[in-house]
Amino acid sequence: MLGAMFRADTPFPPNLRSQGGGHYYFIDRDGKAFRHVLNFLRLGRLDLPLGYGETALLKAEADFYQIQPLLDALRELEASQGSPAPAAALLHADVEASPRLVHFSARRGPHHYELSSARVDTFRANLFCTDPECLGALRARFGVAAEERAEGGPHFRLEWAPRPTELPEAEYGKLGLQPLWTGRPGQRREVVGTPGFLEEVLQVALEHGFRLDSVFPDPEDLLNSRSLRFVRH
């Protein structure tokens, strides 16, 4: 992927520095984890600090950059270290939807404007997890760098609002809204609402050995709930 990004015919132009001139590329990923990605590309081997505990996050980064040899090296490292029983942990996911009506002027002709409106649903999610590896996997799943939108410790929050088709992109941008995406490059998909978001959380939780403990408010309607609680004993 890095090779594709920096080809001469790349569709991603560099950014211009505001001071001092020159150009640079900004990659919205975890900067600390990229140190180990870069060292692997330089040295051709995996060389991690003693007691390194973020292999799940590094695997997510290797998957994002599509570096198969690094993924293979990480799997070999995990196999050589054995598979100790995962520690007890708690994962809590809360999501809230807030609809609002947005009014805007829609152009219908050269000199004809009409007042229109569109419903915009804003979603706010709070994720709490006592397992650092699972928390890192959730950050990677939703494209959140470790330093961004984080509360510190086992928390991080997300806020997004899908653009309704009747709302022009220019008006959407003025509102300061942004969508939420998941998936690897080339396979990205938009998280439209609560069911899509909770389905992604559920997949990550099961991959890390959690089981569903409680659903609020309706246990029979899992993907439309407001709160999910997972435990791992």
Side-chain angles (χ1 to χ4, degrees), residues 171-195:
E171 297 295 331
Y172 179 76
K174 290 177 185 178
L175 294 171
L177 304 174
Q178 60 181 350
L180 181 65
W181 299 89
T182 186
R184 67 182 66 182
Q187 299 177 343
R188 295 177 74 209
R189 57 190 181 277
E190 185 177 1
V191 179
V192 177
T194 298

Side-chain angles (χ1 to χ4, degrees), residues 204-227:
V204 174
L206 295 178
E207 289 169 1
H208 287 79
F210 286 86
R211 67 171 180 82
L212 186 61
D213 183 61
S214 66
V215 179
F216 179 83
D218 183 4
E220 300 297 324
D221 195 6
L222 174 65
L223 295 182
N224 284 301
S225 62
R226 296 205 307 268
S227 179

Side-chain angles (χ1 to χ4, degrees), residues 49-202:
L50 185 64
Y52 183 75
E54 295 185 337
T55 53
L57 176 60
L58 186 53
K59 281 174 67 176
E61 295 301 294
D63 185 59
F64 174 82
Y65 292 113
Q66 301 177 28
I67 306 175
Q68 189 60 45
L70 178 53
L71 285 168
D72 295 339
L74 286 166
R75 293 191 185 101
E76 290 179 7
L77 174 65
E78 290 177 341
S80 68
Q81 293 175 340
S83 301
L90 172 69
L91 167 60
H92 205 116
D94 296 313
V95 61
E96 177 184 7
S98 302
R100 62 168 165 159
L101 199 61
V102 174
H103 301 282
F104 58 95
S105 295
R107 186 175 183 179
R108 305 302 185 191
H111 304 288
H112 180 206
Y113 289 85
E114 185 177 280
L115 183 63
S116 298
S117 60
R119 170 178 159 152
V120 177
D121 292 316
T122 300
F123 298 89
R124 296 178 180 85
N126 182 56
L127 290 163
F128 170 87
C129 185
T130 58
D131 176 11
E133 286 199 7
C134 182
L135 190 68
L138 286 166
R139 291 184 191 277
R141 179 67 65 102
F142 296 113
V144 180
E147 297 82 3
E148 293 182 356
R149 292 186 280 185
E151 303 292 311
H155 295 269
F156 78 93
R157 293 182 178 179
L158 294 168
E159 181 172 336
W160 73 100
R163 182 179 69 86
T165 54
E166 63 270 23
L167 181 65
E169 290 189 15
E171 297 295 331
Y172 179 76
K174 290 177 185 178
L175 294 171
L177 304 174
Q178 60 181 350
L180 181 65
W181 299 89
T182 186
R184 67 182 66 182
Q187 299 177 343
R188 295 177 74 209
R189 57 190 181 277
E190 185 177 1
V191 179
V192 177
T194 298
F197 172 75
L198 291 179
E199 185 176 1
E200 297 293 331
V201 173
L202 181 62

